[in-house]
Amino acid sequence: MSQMELPFEGPFAVSDLPAVWTPREIWVRLTAQMMPTFAEGRRIDYKGGAKIDFNDMAKYLSAFSNTPDGGVLVFGADSHGTPTGCITLSSDQLNRIESCHTQFCPESRPEFRRIEVTVDGRQDFCVAVFVPYIGRLVETNKQESYIRYGDTIHRMSDEERQDFRSTRQELTFESSPAPYAFPSEFDESIIQDFCDGFRSRERREDWSNIDILKDRFLLADQDGKLVPTNALVLLAAKNPRKSIPGCRVRVQRFGESVEGSGDTYSPLRDMKRPGFSGGSYL
C-alpha cells in the first residue's frame, strides 16, 4: 500500500482532492500524516521550529495576506512537510508567534492552531498559522509588501503596490457600512443557516453568530455598535433594494463536483418542477 493509499483519519479521505483545497481547508484539516502530502507552494510553507525569525515571519504574513485565498505557515517541519517539532521553543517564543503580527504586520489577521506530531518516537507539536487574504495591500512594519508566487515570496515594487491597490477597489463596496438596522432588517433564518454551516465546516462550535459575522467581515464594530456591511445586505437583508436598486443574484448549480458541469440554474424552470419548495430571488 502506497503512502497516498493509507487510510487517513478524520475528514481527509481518498475521495477528497487535496490539490484543490483552499488554504483555510488545509489549515482546518491538517494532521501530521497529511503534511508530507502538501508540498510547499502558493498555499503552504514550512519553517523549522528550533528558532523563529520574526522579521521573516512578517514577510510571510504580508505575502499570504496579499495572495488570493491566503496561505498556511507551519512551524516545526522541514521543507518536505516532515515534522521536526516545536517543543524546544519557550513559552515566550510560542506567545510571540501568536502576537508577532501586532508589531511586525499589524494589518494581517492570522489564526493559530497546534498539530500533534511524533518526532523520533516522542510526542511533539507543530504550530499552523492560517493567514487570510485581506483584499487590500498589507505591509510589514517596515512598509514593505510581499506576495506569494508558487513556493516563493516576492517583494512588491512601488509600481506593483500601486497596481495592487488600484485593482482591488471592487472589494471596497462589499466591506462598506450599509444603512440598515441590525438585526431587525435582516432575515435571521438565512443568517442562522450561514453561521451553522460555518461552525460545522470550520470547527468553530464555540463561536456565536456575531463572532462569525464579524470574522467574515459581514458585521463591523464601530464605536461599540454593530454595523452591517454591504456584503451582509447582499446575503440576508429583507429588502436589499433599499440601498442597492435593481439588485440581482445570479445562481449557478453544477451537476457534479467539477465547476461547469450540468446545467445553468434557472429559477423559472425549477419552479415548474414537481416538489419545488420555493425560494426568493433578489
Side-chain angles (χ1 to χ4, degrees):
M1 182 180 290
S2 69
Q3 183 180 17
M4 288 302 294
E5 295 172 338
L6 290 174
F8 293 112
E9 296 180 356
F12 187 86
V14 292
S15 60
D16 288 324
L17 185 59
V20 300
W21 286 4
T22 66
R24 174 172 277 276
E25 288 171 331
I26 294 174
W27 179 75
V28 168
R29 300 183 177 193
L30 195 62
T31 65
Q33 295 93 331
M34 298 179 198
M35 285 167 56
T37 303
F38 295 101
E40 287 189 324
R42 183 183 62 82
R43 300 177 298 169
I44 193 168
D45 202 288
Y46 299 103
K47 295 291 181 183
K51 183 179 179 181
I52 308 299
D53 183 337
F54 292 102
N55 284 299
D56 182 63
M57 181 177 174
K59 297 177 181 179
Y60 283 87
L61 292 174
S62 170
F64 283 135
S65 296
N66 293 327
T67 303
D69 289 336
V72 179
L73 189 60
V74 180
F75 290 99
D78 64 21
S79 59
H80 301 290
T82 303
T84 58
C86 290
I87 205 164
T88 59
L89 295 177
S90 67
S91 296
D92 179 65
Q93 288 174 306
L94 292 170
N95 288 334
R96 287 195 69 193
I97 289 176
E98 297 192 9
S99 63
C100 164
H101 66 287
T102 62
Q103 177 182 354
F104 291 87
C105 192
E107 290 191 303
S108 63
R109 297 291 182 268
E111 300 178 48
F112 307 86
R113 63 180 288 250
R114 296 186 184 185
I115 301 171
E116 185 177 340
V117 300
T118 301
V119 179
D120 296 331
R122 72 176 191 280
Q123 286 200 311
D124 208 317
F125 65 92
C126 296
V127 178
V129 186
F130 170 63
V131 187
Y133 175 58
I134 298 299
R136 62 179 180 274
L137 191 67
V138 174
E139 301 175 326
T140 69
N141 60 332
K142 297 179 180 179
Q143 285 71 58
E144 298 173 341
S145 302
Y146 297 84
I147 193 168
R148 185 78 168 180
Y149 291 133
D151 61 352
T152 62
I153 58 174
H154 167 72
R155 180 178 175 181
M156 301 168 72
S157 65
D158 290 340
E159 292 77 12
E160 289 171 318
R161 287 149 59 100
Q162 182 176 356
D163 180 67
F164 187 100
R165 287 191 170 105
S166 66
T167 57
R168 264 68 176 182
Q169 291 305 307
E170 71 277 4
L171 293 179
T172 302
F173 172 78
E174 285 89 355
S175 59
S176 297
Y180 289 76
F182 179 84
S184 61
E185 293 189 84
F186 292 86
D187 188 320
E188 295 186 17
S189 65
I190 294 177
I191 291 176
Q192 190 65 50
D193 287 345
F194 172 81
C195 293
D196 288 344
F198 179 92
R199 270 186 285 267
S200 174
R201 183 176 64 255
E202 305 294 340
R203 300 180 181 177
R204 297 290 190 179
E205 291 82 3
D206 58 332
W207 281 26
S208 69
N209 287 359
I210 299 299
D211 292 334
I212 293 170
L213 294 178
K214 290 170 67 174
D215 180 76
R216 297 294 88 196
F217 305 105
L218 299 172
L219 274 182
D221 194 342
Q222 295 184 355
D223 300 323
K225 181 180 179 181
L226 292 175
V227 178
T229 65
N230 283 320
L232 185 59
V233 171
L234 293 170
L235 173 69
K238 294 177 181 177
N239 182 21
R241 294 179 184 173
K242 169 184 169 182
S243 62
I244 314 174
C247 177
R248 295 289 188 276
V249 174
R250 183 180 180 183
V251 180
Q252 277 192 315
R253 181 175 60 193
F254 302 119
E256 301 173 5
S257 59
V258 179
E259 183 174 344
S261 63
D263 299 324
T264 300
Y265 181 56
S266 171
L268 293 178
R269 179 194 64 212
D270 284 2
M271 281 192 287
K272 297 177 182 178
R273 290 181 177 176
F276 177 75
S277 60
S280 61
Y281 305 94
L282 306 180

